[in-house]
C-alpha cells in the first residue's frame, strides 16, 4: 500500500493479468501504462487483482508502515487499550485520519502483566509509538510503546500546564507539583527542539 516507485508518462507498469487499472493509468495491448509522472500505488481492495494507480507526488499519501515511528494523540482509554489518532509518520504530517490502538501488553517491555492503561496514558496525551501491524478494514493500526524511546512526550496536567517528566513512569505539573503516572518516552534531545 505504500508508494513503491516513481514513474513517468508512458512507463509500462504491469500486465492486465496481474492488476486492474485505477487512476492515472491507461490500457494498451493488455498492459497498463502510466499516464502521469508520480508514484505507483498498488492496492488490494478486496477484488481478485490489486488495483494499480499513479498519483502525483503531492498527492502520494504517506501511510504508516510496520516499523515506522509515529506521533499520535490519545483519544480514549479503557483497561485493555488506548485508542489514538496518528498525526505524523516520522516528521511528516498525515493528511488523512488514521486510528491506532496501543494494547495493554504493548505499553512496556517489562512487567507487561502489571501495566495499567490509565497509569500509562490519558486522553489528549501526545505519544511516540511504533507500528507493529497494519490496520484492518477500519485502518486501525496496532502500535507499541515498549521501547524506552517510545511513550508519552507531551502531557497536560489537570491544571492545564504542560507536565515535565521526572522518571520513566511519572510526570509532574510545574504549577501544582502534582505527579501523574505515565509511560514516559526517554526523548532524544533533538526531538525536544522540534
Amino acid at each position: 500500500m505504500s508508494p513503491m516507485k516513481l514513474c513517468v508518462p508512458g512507463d509500462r507498469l504491469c500486465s492486465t493479468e496481474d492488476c486492474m487499472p485505477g487512476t492515472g493509468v491507461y490500457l494498451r495491448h493488455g498492459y497498463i501504462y502510466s499516464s502521469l509522472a508520480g508514484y505507483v500505488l498498488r492496492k488490494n481492495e478486496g477484488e481478485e487483482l490489486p488495483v494499480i494507480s499513479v498519483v502525483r507526488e503531492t498527492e502520494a499519501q504517506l501511510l504508516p508502515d510496520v516499523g515506522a515511528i509515529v506521533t499520535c494523540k490519545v483519544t480514549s482509554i479503557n483497561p485493555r487499550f488506548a485508542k489514538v489518532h496518528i498525526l505524523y509518520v516520522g516528521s511528516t504530517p498525515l493528511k488523512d485520519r488514521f486510528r491506532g490502538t496501543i494494547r495493554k501488553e504493548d505499553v512496556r517491555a517489562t512487567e507487561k502483566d502489571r501495566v495499567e492503561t490509565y497509569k500509562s496514558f490519558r486522553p489528549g496525551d501526545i505519544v511516540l509509538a511504533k507500528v507493529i501491524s497494519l490496520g484492518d478494514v477500519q485502518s486501525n493500526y496496532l502500535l507499541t510503546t515498549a521501547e524506552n524511546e517510545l511513550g508519552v512526550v507531551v502531557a497536560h496536567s489537570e491544571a492545564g500546564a504542560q507536565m515535565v517528566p521526572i522518571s520513566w513512569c511519572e510526570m509532574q505539573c510545574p504549577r501544582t507539583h502534582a505527579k501523574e503516572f505515565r509511560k514516559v518516552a526517554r526523548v532524544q534531545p533533538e526531538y525536544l527542539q522540534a
Side-chain angles (χ1 to χ4, degrees):
M1 268 191 55
S2 51
M4 293 186 332
K5 60 176 187 170
L6 282 162
C7 63
V8 295
D11 277 3
R12 188 164 94 179
L13 305 176
C14 64
S15 153
T16 51
E17 290 171 16
D18 301 327
C19 288
M20 290 179 12
T23 56
V25 298
Y26 62 91
L27 292 173
R28 183 174 293 157
H29 307 306
Y31 288 96
I32 299 172
Y33 294 84
S34 169
S35 61
L36 325 157
Y39 285 104
V40 180
L41 289 175
R42 269 177 202 258
K43 267 193 187 148
N44 284 71
E45 292 174 352
E47 290 95 359
E48 303 82 76
L49 294 175
V51 175
I52 195 157
S53 300
V54 176
V55 293
R56 294 185 199 288
E57 199 165 350
T58 53
E59 297 160 20
Q61 171 64 64
L62 185 65
L63 295 170
D65 219 343
V66 173
I69 300 295
V70 295
T71 304
C72 39
K73 185 175 189 171
V74 178
T75 54
S76 65
I77 54 172
N78 71 29
R80 295 191 324 278
F81 52 78
K83 290 269 184 209
V84 300
H85 276 143
I86 300 172
L87 308 172
Y88 290 84
V89 173
S91 59
T92 308
L94 292 173
K95 290 195 202 91
D96 295 338
R97 271 268 170 98
F98 289 96
R99 290 190 300 276
T101 301
I102 303 169
R103 296 177 305 188
K104 189 179 119 153
E105 58 269 28
D106 296 322
V107 171
R108 286 209 310 253
T110 56
E111 300 179 317
K112 292 180 183 198
D113 52 328
R114 293 181 48 204
V115 168
E116 293 178 72
T117 318
Y118 73 94
K119 285 188 174 180
S120 305
F121 311 109
R122 297 277 169 89
D125 286 359
I126 303 296
V127 174
L128 218 49
K130 184 191 259 183
V131 179
I132 50 176
S133 88
L134 294 182
D136 52 23
V137 181
Q138 292 86 33
S139 71
N140 197 351
Y141 289 78
L142 274 185
L143 309 174
T144 178
T145 56
E147 293 170 30
N148 290 340
E149 288 73 31
L150 305 175
V152 177
V153 286
V154 179
H156 289 88
S157 67
E158 286 174 17
Q162 188 168 322
M163 295 199 293
V164 180
I166 52 173
S167 75
W168 60 273
C169 63
E170 280 186 311
M171 289 182 138
Q172 186 171 31
C173 173
R175 278 192 214 149
T176 64
H177 302 294
K179 294 176 185 173
E180 292 182 24
F181 287 106
R182 290 293 196 282
K183 194 297 181 182
V184 180
R186 190 178 68 204
V187 177
Q188 306 306 322
E190 69 268 15
Y191 189 84
L192 291 169
Q193 274 111 46

